[in-house]
């Protein structure tokens, strides 16, 4: 893996633990739990995720589950509302659904149909960009309700998995990028 290029990114990378063979053999899971437990690291991550989007979006969407943890404080930092995109069956109101592929299977995401308003400019936040399936599905849900995805923000991008290619046409800001 390549080293992070900036001092803040290097500090944050030191707080992300790689867990081999989770949740399936062959997957190297990027565990942000140590980063979340470090007050300075969490503050640095939130600031780095929020800064590129100031004044450019109307609402922040966070993807279950780690996108919730990072997206809500990013929304607060930008003085905006936060909208969760959840796995199927977790939202109590009428939803729109979108199936997507993962490195290790398939899943379904849902968004309340009235959570994002038509014509709102949306920032989608998640912890890791891997193959891009989850983020692309969240973007399609936002598009379906008539809003516009301005871009995607990620704490860590695993560039060697090619996730950017599934998000073509959108701005992508990643705090840390691992080349391989």
């Amino acid at each position: 893996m390549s080293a992070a290029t900036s001092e803040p990114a290097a500090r944050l990378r030191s707080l992300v633990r790689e867990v081999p063979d989770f949740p399936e053999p062959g997957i190297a899971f990027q565990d942000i739990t140590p980063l979340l437990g470090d007050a300075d690291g969490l503050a640095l991550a939130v600031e780095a995720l929020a800064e590129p989007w100031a004044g450019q979006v109307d609402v922040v969407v966070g993807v279950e589950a780690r996108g919730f943890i990072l997206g809500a404080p990013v929304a607060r930092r930008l003085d905006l509302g936060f909208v969760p995109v959840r796995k199927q069956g977790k939202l109590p109101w009428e939803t729109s659904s979108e199936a997507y592929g993962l490195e290790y299977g398939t899943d379904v995401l849902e968004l309340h149909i009235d959570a994002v308003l038509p014509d709102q400019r949306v920032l989608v936040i998640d912890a890791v960009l891997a193959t891009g399936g989850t983020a692309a599905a969240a973007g399609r849900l936002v598009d379906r309700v008539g809003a516009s995805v301005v871009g995607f923000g990620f704490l860590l991008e695993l560039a060697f998995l090619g996730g950017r290619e599934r998000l073509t046409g959108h701005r992508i800001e990643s705090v840390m990028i691992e080349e391989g």
Side-chain angles (χ1 to χ4, degrees), residues 46-47 50 57-61 68-83 123 125:
V46 169
E47 185 61 31
V57 296
D58 301 314
V59 67
V60 175
V61 165
F68 291 0
I69 297 168
L70 295 169
V74 167
R76 181 63 216 122
R77 171 66 182 82
L78 295 172
D79 199 25
L80 301 172
F82 174 77
V83 174
L123 168 61
I125 294 285

Side-chain angles (χ1 to χ4, degrees), residues 2-11 13 174-179:
S2 65
T5 56
S6 71
E7 188 176 321
R11 163 89 170 104
R13 186 64 182 128
S174 298
V175 176
M176 299 174 281
I177 300 175
E178 297 291 334
E179 297 296 338

Side-chain angles (χ1 to χ4, degrees), residues 85-161:
V85 167
R86 300 219 51 195
K87 293 190 178 168
Q88 189 171 36
K90 301 293 184 181
L91 291 172
W93 186 247
E94 189 176 342
T95 62
S96 181
S97 301
E98 184 70 31
Y100 66 103
L102 297 159
E103 293 172 82
Y104 46 86
T106 60
D107 214 336
V108 177
L109 291 177
E110 293 183 331
L111 171 72
H112 278 148
I113 61 168
D114 61 353
V116 178
L117 303 176
D119 301 322
Q120 278 190 311
R121 300 171 300 161
V122 177
L123 168 61
V124 178
I125 294 285
D126 206 353
V128 177
L129 173 58
T131 62
T134 305
R140 289 190 300 272
L141 284 169
V142 169
D143 290 342
R144 191 173 300 134
V145 298
S148 174
V149 176
V150 172
F152 294 87
F154 301 98
L155 180 63
L156 174 62
E157 179 179 345
L158 304 175
F160 57 92
L161 293 175

Side-chain angles (χ1 to χ4, degrees), residues 19-30 66 87 102-105:
V19 180
D21 299 320
F22 182 84
E24 303 269 336
I27 302 296
F29 186 80
Q30 302 300 310
R66 297 181 299 170
K87 293 190 178 168
L102 297 159
E103 293 172 82
Y104 46 86

